[in-house]
Amino acid sequence: MQSELSVIVLAAGKGTRMKSQLPKVLQPLAGRPLLAHSLASVAALKPSKTVVVVGHGVEQVTKALAGSTVTFALQSPQNGTGHAAAVGLAPITDDGITLLVTGDTPLIRSETLAALVALVNERTFALLTCNMKDATGYGRIVRNAAGDVLKIVEHKDALAANDATTLAVNEINSGIMAAPTAWLRGALAQLTPHNAQGELYLTDVIAMASVDGLTVATAQPANESEIAGVNDKAQLAALEREVQRGEAEKLLQSGVTLADPARIDVRGTLICGIDVFIDVGCVFSGVVTLCDNVSIGPNCVLKDATIGHNTTVHAMSHLEGCTVGEGALIGPFARLRLGAQLGDEVHIGNFVEVKNSTLARGAKANHLAYLGDATVGERVNYGAGSITANYDGANKHRTVIEDDVHVGSNCVLIAPVTIGTGGTVGGGSTITKDAPAGALSVARGKQVSIPNWKRPAKKTS
């Protein structure tokens, strides 16, 4: 059936078992909300309209999706999944078909959804089911002797009725279905709350389809994890590991060397060149690019960073919003903040922080230093304990350190200030004025030694 496709995403639930002020669909998985994963899979189908049904935490959910093209529909009060579907269907026209997905099944693949939608026509309803070893908690698919789907019985209702036959069924309802829109609207209008929960069940439309003579076609996902829901933090953690196993496998297949595939977290997009090595405990978020022959040491955190060819990032380093050139050495215990742009062969050592600064080829800051709002030339040596004092309490100012400058240890460069090409700043200096090229600039108090000085003695009671 080649018809216009609309999508309803059910995202109104509170998620009580999460024990969190954050709505369930906004709980993070691999760096994105659960709901964002579901919406990404839906978007690949290019629906004409996507309606997100919201309820609990409506302000948080709508804020999280600000700027998206989805339509929001408020379910208030919340009276079950059938009611939520009817609310979501309100802004959708009767032409075409409607796909219903849940906002807490983040691993559903767009290919699986497309296959389900392809089964639908004017007289066919499509349901995504799954055969599970342990079906506890899921609605069961009830079929007749010919194998036709008759209805879905929720787990709680089967328990309440002591229905051992239904409880023994392993084929479960995923909560994902597709139907002709016009028929679905009429079916939802006929729902009644005759169940253990006293709610309108979306699953009751399956029995209606059977009674109305519609064929109930079924499809199954390639993997059980595709339809895994998230109801508590334990399930969320298990799904996180599932996602990360998949990310690690993709990296390994592309030729990346992982010290331990079980100890890497990709929470965004990680792009790797040839012969990249990643040690244990590293976290990647945003968009990170590691070029050829990059080595990342253990327990590093990289976010929105590009690392050039043949560069090594040593252990415990934190890089965010930065670019690093080729052949550079970073860390251990280095921090590159937003706007740090490092050229080729730059060295940033232990406990050095760089923010909104450019360092040209061969510049070095190897120990215990801060470079903020600075422009650093080629081959500069920046001494241990030195800082750029870039903030006057109201505004930021820039420090310019030209090529081949040597800044001694424990210096303070008070911006705005320029250190000329080839200049030297003596250790312990506080520089407040521009320093000329090629000169030694020293600004520190005169040393005084008082002979025979006796330190105060500790008083005794």
Side-chain angles (χ1 to χ4, degrees), residues 393-423:
N395 299 295
K396 299 289 182 67
H397 302 279
R398 199 154 194 87
T399 298
V400 177
I401 304 173
E402 296 181 347
D403 295 347
D404 299 304
V405 164
H406 178 95
V407 177
S409 297
N410 204 36
C411 293
V412 180
L413 310 181
I414 301 179
V417 68
T418 297
I419 311 299
T421 301

Coordinates of all heavy atoms in Angstrom, one line a residue, residues 393-423:
G393 N 37.4 40.7 35.8 CA 36.2 40.7 36.6 C 34.9 41.1 35.9 O 33.8 40.9 36.4
A394 N 35.1 41.6 34.7 CA 34.0 42.0 33.9 C 34.1 41.6 32.4 O 33.2 41.1 31.8 CB 33.7 43.5 33.9
N395 N 35.3 41.7 31.9 CA 35.6 41.3 30.5 C 36.8 40.5 30.3 O 37.7 40.5 31.2 CB 35.8 42.6 29.7 CG 34.6 43.6 29.8 OD1 33.5 43.2 29.3 ND2 34.7 44.7 30.4
K396 N 36.8 39.7 29.2 CA 37.9 38.9 28.8 C 38.9 39.7 27.9 O 38.4 40.5 27.1 CB 37.5 37.6 28.1 CG 36.6 36.7 29.0 CD 37.3 36.0 30.1 CE 36.4 35.1 30.9 NZ 36.0 33.9 30.1
H397 N 40.1 39.5 28.1 CA 41.1 40.1 27.2 C 42.1 39.1 26.7 O 42.3 38.0 27.3 CB 41.9 41.2 28.1 CG 41.0 42.2 28.7 ND1 40.5 43.3 28.0 CD2 40.5 42.3 29.9 CE1 39.8 44.0 28.7 NE2 39.7 43.5 29.9
R398 N 42.8 39.4 25.6 CA 43.6 38.5 24.9 C 45.1 38.7 25.1 O 45.6 39.9 25.2 CB 43.3 38.5 23.4 CG 43.8 37.2 22.7 CD 43.0 37.0 21.4 NE 43.3 35.6 21.0 CZ 42.6 34.5 21.4 NH1 41.6 34.7 22.3 NH2 42.9 33.3 20.9
T399 N 45.8 37.6 25.2 CA 47.3 37.6 25.4 C 47.9 37.1 24.0 O 47.4 36.1 23.5 CB 47.8 36.7 26.5 OG1 47.2 37.2 27.7 CG2 49.3 36.7 26.6
V400 N 48.9 37.8 23.5 CA 49.5 37.4 22.3 C 51.0 37.1 22.7 O 51.7 37.9 23.2 CB 49.5 38.5 21.2 CG1 50.3 38.0 20.0 CG2 48.1 38.8 20.8
I401 N 51.4 35.8 22.4 CA 52.8 35.4 22.6 C 53.3 35.0 21.2 O 52.9 34.0 20.6 CB 52.8 34.2 23.6 CG1 52.1 34.6 24.9 CG2 54.2 33.8 23.8 CD1 52.0 33.4 25.8
E402 N 54.2 35.8 20.7 CA 54.7 35.6 19.3 C 55.7 34.5 19.3 O 56.1 33.9 20.3 CB 55.3 36.9 18.8 CG 54.2 38.0 18.7 CD 54.7 39.3 18.2 OE1 55.9 39.5 18.1 OE2 53.8 40.2 17.8
D403 N 56.2 34.2 18.0 CA 57.0 33.1 17.8 C 58.3 33.1 18.6 O 58.9 34.1 18.9 CB 57.5 33.0 16.3 CG 56.3 32.8 15.4 OD1 55.2 32.4 15.8 OD2 56.5 33.0 14.1
D404 N 58.8 31.9 19.0 CA 60.0 31.7 19.7 C 60.2 32.4 21.0 O 61.3 32.7 21.5 CB 61.2 32.1 18.8 CG 61.2 31.3 17.5 OD1 61.2 30.0 17.6 OD2 61.1 31.8 16.4
V405 N 59.1 32.7 21.7 CA 59.1 33.3 23.0 C 59.4 32.2 24.0 O 58.9 31.0 23.9 CB 57.8 34.0 23.3 CG1 57.7 34.3 24.8 CG2 57.7 35.3 22.5
H406 N 60.1 32.5 25.1 CA 60.3 31.6 26.2 C 59.7 32.3 27.5 O 60.2 33.4 27.8 CB 61.8 31.3 26.4 CG 62.1 30.5 27.6 ND1 62.2 29.1 27.5 CD2 62.2 30.7 29.0 CE1 62.4 28.6 28.7 NE2 62.4 29.6 29.6
V407 N 58.7 31.7 28.0 CA 58.1 32.2 29.3 C 58.6 31.3 30.4 O 58.4 30.1 30.4 CB 56.6 32.2 29.2 CG1 55.9 32.7 30.5 CG2 56.1 33.1 28.0
G408 N 59.2 31.9 31.4 CA 59.8 31.2 32.5 C 58.7 30.7 33.4 O 57.5 30.9 33.2
S409 N 59.1 30.0 34.4 CA 58.1 29.4 35.4 C 57.5 30.4 36.3 O 58.1 31.4 36.6 CB 58.9 28.3 36.2 OG 59.4 27.3 35.4
N410 N 56.2 30.1 36.6 CA 55.5 30.9 37.6 C 55.3 32.4 37.2 O 55.5 33.3 38.1 CB 56.2 30.8 39.0 CG 55.2 31.1 40.1 OD1 54.0 30.7 40.1 ND2 55.7 31.7 41.2
C411 N 55.0 32.6 36.0 CA 54.8 33.9 35.5 C 53.3 34.2 35.3 O 52.5 33.3 35.1 CB 55.4 34.1 34.1 SG 57.2 34.1 34.2
V412 N 52.9 35.5 35.5 CA 51.5 35.9 35.2 C 51.5 37.0 34.1 O 52.2 38.0 34.2 CB 50.9 36.5 36.5 CG1 49.5 37.0 36.2 CG2 50.9 35.5 37.6
L413 N 50.9 36.7 33.0 CA 50.8 37.6 31.9 C 49.4 38.2 32.0 O 48.4 37.6 31.7 CB 51.0 36.9 30.6 CG 52.2 36.0 30.5 CD1 52.3 35.4 29.1 CD2 53.5 36.8 30.8
I414 N 49.3 39.5 32.3 CA 48.0 40.2 32.6 C 47.6 40.8 31.3 O 48.1 41.8 30.8 CB 48.2 41.2 33.7 CG1 48.6 40.5 35.0 CG2 46.8 41.9 33.9 CD1 48.8 41.4 36.2
A415 N 46.5 40.3 30.7 CA 46.0 40.7 29.4 C 45.2 42.0 29.6 O 44.7 42.3 30.7 CB 45.1 39.6 28.9
P416 N 45.2 42.8 28.5 CA 45.8 42.5 27.2 C 47.3 42.9 27.2 O 47.7 43.9 27.7 CB 45.0 43.5 26.3 CG 44.6 44.6 27.1 CD 44.4 44.1 28.5
V417 N 48.0 41.9 26.6 CA 49.5 42.1 26.6 C 50.1 41.3 25.5 O 49.5 40.3 25.1 CB 50.1 41.7 28.0 CG1 50.0 40.2 28.2 CG2 51.6 42.2 28.1
T418 N 51.2 41.8 24.9 CA 51.9 41.1 23.8 C 53.3 40.9 24.2 O 54.0 41.8 24.6 CB 51.8 41.9 22.5 OG1 50.4 42.0 22.1 CG2 52.6 41.2 21.4
I419 N 53.8 39.6 24.0 CA 55.2 39.3 24.2 C 55.8 39.2 22.8 O 55.4 38.3 22.0 CB 55.4 38.0 25.0 CG1 54.5 38.1 26.3 CG2 56.9 37.8 25.3 CD1 54.8 39.2 27.2
G420 N 56.7 40.0 22.4 CA 57.3 40.1 21.1 C 58.1 38.9 20.7 O 58.6 38.1 21.6
T421 N 58.3 38.7 19.4 CA 59.0 37.5 18.8 C 60.4 37.4 19.5 O 61.2 38.3 19.6 CB 59.2 37.7 17.3 OG1 57.9 37.8 16.7 CG2 59.9 36.5 16.7
G422 N 60.7 36.2 19.9 CA 62.0 35.8 20.4 C 62.2 36.4 21.8 O 63.3 36.3 22.4
G423 N 61.2 37.0 22.5 CA 61.4 37.5 23.8 C 61.4 36.4 24.9 O 61.0 35.3 24.7

